[in-house]
């Protein structure tokens, strides 16, 4: 279990709240949460995220910036996390390192709109390869929003596209923006290791572990090797 980079989960949490607000806003409702706290860069989400409908989201061009959030606002019922694709959420682990994970799912376009920069730079050009846009697919996310451990996993389903093509096209999208990509076969699943060099310079987590199975692309983010191994082993 890792507490080494709480900035990762704080930043992710801010984006999660922003996604929830966007989703509820589209449904004609609103969600609020009052909490503040600093955050740093992470490949998982780059957000100076809203925690009320009137707040603003901003980010540096790297995979993360600052987020306003705290563990007090991490109850899924309080945040109002969306669940547009329960079947996709079911592919993600419910518990890692003895900690229950919070899951939610949303159109990928809503996730991208929740903030700017980071991994969000990759999705549109990646999907163009398949003749799709972020409006056409969903993303499911599982994470410990209480910040007791540093672990986030994404799943994106792209109907009609096989695993090898999903992975290779995602690697191409990363290389196109200057992110180094390498492969590792010594883990529970064969993964691509994708690094954002701007986050490396900032001294925070910069690495995502990318794996595909069927028509689903998974991205695991953690700086804890034990959590990484368990997370990969738990994926389909």
């Amino acid at each position: 279990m890792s507490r080494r980079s709480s900035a990762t989960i704080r930043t992710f949490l801010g984006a999660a709240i922003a996604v929830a607000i966007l989703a509820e806003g589209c449904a004609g409702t609103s969600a609020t949460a009052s909490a503040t706290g600093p955050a740093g860069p992470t490949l998982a989400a780059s957000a100076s995220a809203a925690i009320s409908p009137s707040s603003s989201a901003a980010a540096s061009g790297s995979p993360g910036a600052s987020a306003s959030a705290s563990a007090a606002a991490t109850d899924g019922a309080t945040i109002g996390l969306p669940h547009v694709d329960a079947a996709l959420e079911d592919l993600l682990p419910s518990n890692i390192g003895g900690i229950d994970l919070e899951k939610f799912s949303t159109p990928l376009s809503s996730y991208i709109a929740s903030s700017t920069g980071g991994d969000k730079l990759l999705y549109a050009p990646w999907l163009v390869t398949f003749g799709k846009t972020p409006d056409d697919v969903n993303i499911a996310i599982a994470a410990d929003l209480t910040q007791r451990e540093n672990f986030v996993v994404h799943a994106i389903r792209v109907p009609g596209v096989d695993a090898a093509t999903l992975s290779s096209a995602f690697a191409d999208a990363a290389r196109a923006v200057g992110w180094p990509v390498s492969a590792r076969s010594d883990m529970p699943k064969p993964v691509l290791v994708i690094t954002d060099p701007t986050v490396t310079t900032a001294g925070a987590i910069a690495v995502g572990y990318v794996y595909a199975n069927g028509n689903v692309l998974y991205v695991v983010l953690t700086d804890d090797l034990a959590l990484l191994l368990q997370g990969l082993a738990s994926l389909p």
Side-chain angles (χ1 to χ4, degrees), residues 9-74:
I9 298 302
R10 287 176 181 173
T11 301
F12 167 78
L13 174 58
I17 295 171
V19 169
I21 291 165
L22 283 169
E24 294 206 9
C26 291
T29 61
S30 63
T32 60
S34 61
T36 59
T42 168
L43 186 67
S46 54
S48 173
I51 54 175
S52 72
S54 62
S55 299
S56 62
S60 65
S62 69
S66 63
S68 296
S70 79
T74 58

Side-chain angles (χ1 to χ4, degrees), residues 108-121:
L108 182 59
S109 56
S110 294
Y111 173 71
I112 293 172
S114 67
S115 61
T116 58
D119 60 327
K120 297 173 180 63
L121 298 173

Side-chain angles (χ1 to χ4, degrees), residues 63 177-180 195-202 206:
V177 295
W179 295 8
T195 305
D196 180 351
T198 63
V199 174
T200 301
T201 302

Side-chain angles (χ1 to χ4, degrees), residues 122-224:
L122 306 182
Y123 296 126
W126 171 58
L127 290 171
V128 164
T129 306
F130 317 123
K132 298 183 184 296
T133 74
D135 288 321
D136 300 323
V137 301
N138 294 327
I139 182 172
I141 301 173
D144 171 29
L145 301 187
T146 65
Q147 305 178 37
R148 288 171 290 175
E149 66 185 12
N150 189 21
F151 181 89
V152 179
V153 58
H154 297 175
I156 303 173
R157 190 194 306 277
V158 186
V161 184
D162 64 85
T165 305
L166 288 175
S167 293
S168 62
F170 198 76
D172 290 343
R175 293 188 185 101
V177 295
W179 295 8
V181 178
S182 60
R184 291 191 63 172
S185 58
D186 59 339
M187 293 190 170
K189 302 288 194 300
V191 296
L192 294 175
V193 183
I194 299 180
T195 305
D196 180 351
T198 63
V199 174
T200 301
T201 302
I205 296 174
V207 180
Y209 299 87
V210 177
Y211 159 73
N213 184 35
N215 59 6
V216 179
L217 185 87
Y218 300 90
V219 182
V220 178
L221 301 117
T222 182
D223 62 354
D224 186 306

Side-chain angles (χ1 to χ4, degrees), residues 81-130:
L81 294 176
H83 301 280
V84 301
D85 195 334
L88 190 57
E89 293 180 29
D90 287 343
L91 298 178
L92 298 176
S94 298
N95 184 291
I96 292 290
I99 301 296
D100 289 337
L101 303 180
E102 192 78 39
K103 298 182 184 181
F104 71 97
S105 54
T106 182
L108 182 59
S109 56
S110 294
Y111 173 71
I112 293 172
S114 67
S115 61
T116 58
D119 60 327
K120 297 173 180 63
L121 298 173
L122 306 182
Y123 296 126
W126 171 58
L127 290 171
V128 164
T129 306
F130 317 123

